[in-house]
Amino acid sequence: MPSATVLRASRLIDGTGAPPVDGGAVVIIDGVVAAAGAVRDLDLPTGTHVATYEYPDCTLLPGLIDCHTHLLFSASDHALDDAIHDSDETLLLRGVAHAQAELRCGVTTLRDCGGRGFLTLALRDAISRGLITGPRILAAGMPITTTGGHLNFCGLEADGTLEVIKATRRLCKAGVDFIKVMATGGGMTPGTNPRAPQYTVEELAAIVAEARRLGGRHVAAHCHATAGIANAVEAGVRTIEHCSWLDPVEGHAFDPRLVERMVEKGVYVTLTMGSERAALKSADQLADWQQHAVAGYGPHFDLLRRTIQGGVRFIAASDAGVSRTFFDEYPLTLEVMVAFLDIPPMQALCATTGRAAEALGIAHLVGALVPGRRGDAVVVEGDPLADIRAMRRVRSVFRDGRLVVDQGLLA
Ligand SMILES: [Zn+2]
């Protein structure tokens, strides 16, 4: 007899953007959603093989998707030193703890955007084989970067078209799920320039073509400089990470025509609300450098708002792992989107469920509580549409219909 799980709650948000359903339920059979909707419209299974969970005064949503993490990074004030000097064993154990911290926040799928070597692939496989409990992981392995470029210590430097094609082949051979490329320098790596591109359009296009040829993998491009965003968009990457609109010299350089181009090309912007989460915290929770950063966030938030208003599709992410961007604070990502980017709560929720799955090419599997998708769900107390802070109050998390987090603890 098939095993069935029935989840009932005061409210169901299915992740597709459809209005919430009062008195909702989801039926999961053998790990897959068989039915979802209003209780009165469903024929709920009964019997000894059915596990029924009831959640009055709660909202039932699809398991969340964090579209950008670094599971092997420590999130400490010296995250760079840790990433360079810690042993592989330490990195991997840290990755387990971090993956489980995300799961406790309701994140049942995450995309890891780069770490040292191929350790995240081992972590991904250990979870998918059931050796340890954790979210599904889409792993990039090592990001492709230039010699001395952003996150070069992860281990994959490549310069010129031939070398980036070879790097892409090496990653695909190892079994990565997508390709992460550093299209500009980054703040975490001294000696790189976040205000300048690292690769040309031709180099990036070669990566996109090779990733597509070898199994239809998508490419995520880390972009702070406006010139780097332009290169990545022209090259045909799927997602632009950060999208910081940095001018080559100082301040910002917003380009409305590039926003139009992003819409035309169907690019997604990954809103990595990581360090930005500091904007929600009180001064005594922040390090000195964060207080300075928060004071300067105005233009950054303004340009992301204009990017979104221009019609660019956006998805939600934490960038957890970089300094002071912790894995157990995922709900704050959604709060920043609502509070500082003027995104309505339903849109923020879609950006971490249905639309995130679509962007990452996994909409056949996850992202919505509709028949045929995996039975991944999160239950929170209250109504996140009325107050997005409800996402902090996670009651239960399910993966493939199985209870994996109960009252904030791994089940
Ligand atoms: Zn990152």
Side-chain angles (χ1 to χ4, degrees):
M1 189 173 282
S3 81
T5 305
V6 175
L7 310 179
R8 295 178 60 159
S10 322
R11 204 171 299 97
L12 165 67
I13 296 174
D14 72 5
T16 65
V21 173
D22 287 334
V26 174
V27 181
I28 302 165
I29 296 179
D30 288 340
V32 178
V33 176
V39 170
R40 61 177 179 277
D41 300 332
L42 296 175
D43 192 12
L44 297 178
T46 53
T48 51
H49 67 293
V50 182
T52 299
Y53 298 85
E54 305 231 20
Y55 298 101
D57 304 317
C58 290
T59 303
L60 174 59
L61 304 111
L64 310 182
I65 302 173
D66 184 344
C67 295
H68 185 134
T69 66
H70 299 279
L71 289 169
L72 306 183
F73 292 179
S74 68
S76 77
D77 280 341
H78 34 85
L80 175 65
D81 279 352
D82 295 343
I84 294 172
H85 300 296
D86 281 344
S87 67
D88 284 357
E89 292 82 353
T90 298
L91 294 186
L92 201 46
L93 290 168
R94 180 182 288 140
V96 173
H98 288 168
Q100 294 183 340
E102 289 262 347
L103 191 68
R104 289 197 302 272
C105 293
V107 173
T108 52
T109 301
L110 60 81
R111 184 175 66 158
D112 190 85
C113 282
R116 234 171 61 200
F118 289 117
L119 296 172
T120 48
L121 276 63
L123 179 56
R124 173 196 69 188
D125 295 344
I127 291 171
S128 69
R129 286 176 193 156
L131 291 175
I132 47 177
T133 300
R136 300 165 201 288
I137 295 175
L138 300 188
M142 297 174 275
I144 299 177
T145 194
T146 51
T147 296
H150 184 41
L151 300 199
N152 66 80
F153 53 83
C154 289
L156 190 53
E157 297 172 320
D159 306 299
T161 303
L162 203 57
E163 282 191 20
V164 296
I165 290 173
K166 188 161 185 180
T168 306
R169 289 178 183 168
R170 196 179 150 205
L171 291 167
C172 293
K173 181 181 177 188
V176 303
D177 299 291
F178 70 103
I179 303 293
K180 170 77 181 296
V181 61
M182 298 308 192
T184 71
M188 186 171 171
T189 316
T192 73
N193 185 354
R195 296 183 175 278
Q198 292 199 150
Y199 289 114
T200 63
V201 178
E202 292 69 29
E203 288 164 329
L204 295 171
I207 295 170
V208 169
E210 200 60 10
R212 187 177 295 143
R213 184 178 76 87
L214 295 172
R217 290 171 168 91
H218 74 266
V219 176
H222 159 104
C223 298
H224 287 312
T226 299
I229 299 171
N231 287 352
V233 169
E234 276 323 300
V237 307
R238 174 83 59 81
T239 64
I240 300 282
E241 311 303 300
H242 317 304
C243 197
S244 311
W245 295 109
L246 291 189
D247 177 89
V249 181
E250 63 175 345
H252 296 85
F254 183 71
D255 181 353
R257 279 167 310 184
L258 182 49
V259 170
E260 285 169 20
R261 193 73 184 128
M262 291 162 91
V263 175
E264 280 167 23
K265 299 273 274 183
V267 175
Y268 294 84
V269 165
T270 310
L271 299 174
T272 48
M273 298 293 109
S275 58
E276 290 83 349
R277 300 194 301 212
L280 288 168
K281 297 185 178 181
S282 60
D284 61 309
Q285 290 177 293
L286 305 178
D288 287 348
W289 60 266
Q290 283 182 301
Q291 299 195 21
H292 287 289
V294 170
Y297 278 156
H300 171 62
F301 286 138
D302 180 50
L303 297 183
L304 288 179
R305 275 197 298 271
R306 288 168 68 183
T307 307
I308 292 164
Q309 284 158 7
V312 178
R313 293 181 291 185
F314 57 89
I315 54 178
S318 65
D319 210 3
V322 303
S323 287
R324 290 191 170 248
T325 300
F326 305 108
F327 289 86
D328 57 0
E329 294 185 341
Y330 188 68
L332 298 186
T333 290
L334 306 175
E335 290 177 34
V336 172
M337 291 168 68
V338 172
F340 293 98
L341 300 181
D342 297 343
I343 294 171
M346 181 59 103
Q347 284 300 310
L349 294 173
C350 285
T352 191
T353 55
R355 194 177 323 110
E358 175 192 299
L360 307 191
I362 49 174
H364 57 294
L365 274 182
V366 295
L369 289 171
V370 297
R373 310 275 180 112
R374 301 302 306 177
D376 292 359
V378 56
V379 179
V380 299
E381 293 171 12
D383 180 4
L385 298 179
D387 182 353
I388 193 69
R389 287 174 295 184
M391 298 305 289
R392 294 184 192 188
R393 297 190 296 276
V394 172
R395 178 76 72 82
S396 298
V397 181
F398 294 82
R399 250 207 73 174
D400 302 307
R402 193 170 61 87
L403 181 69
V404 288
V405 174
D406 189 27
Q407 304 282 2
L409 297 173
L410 289 189

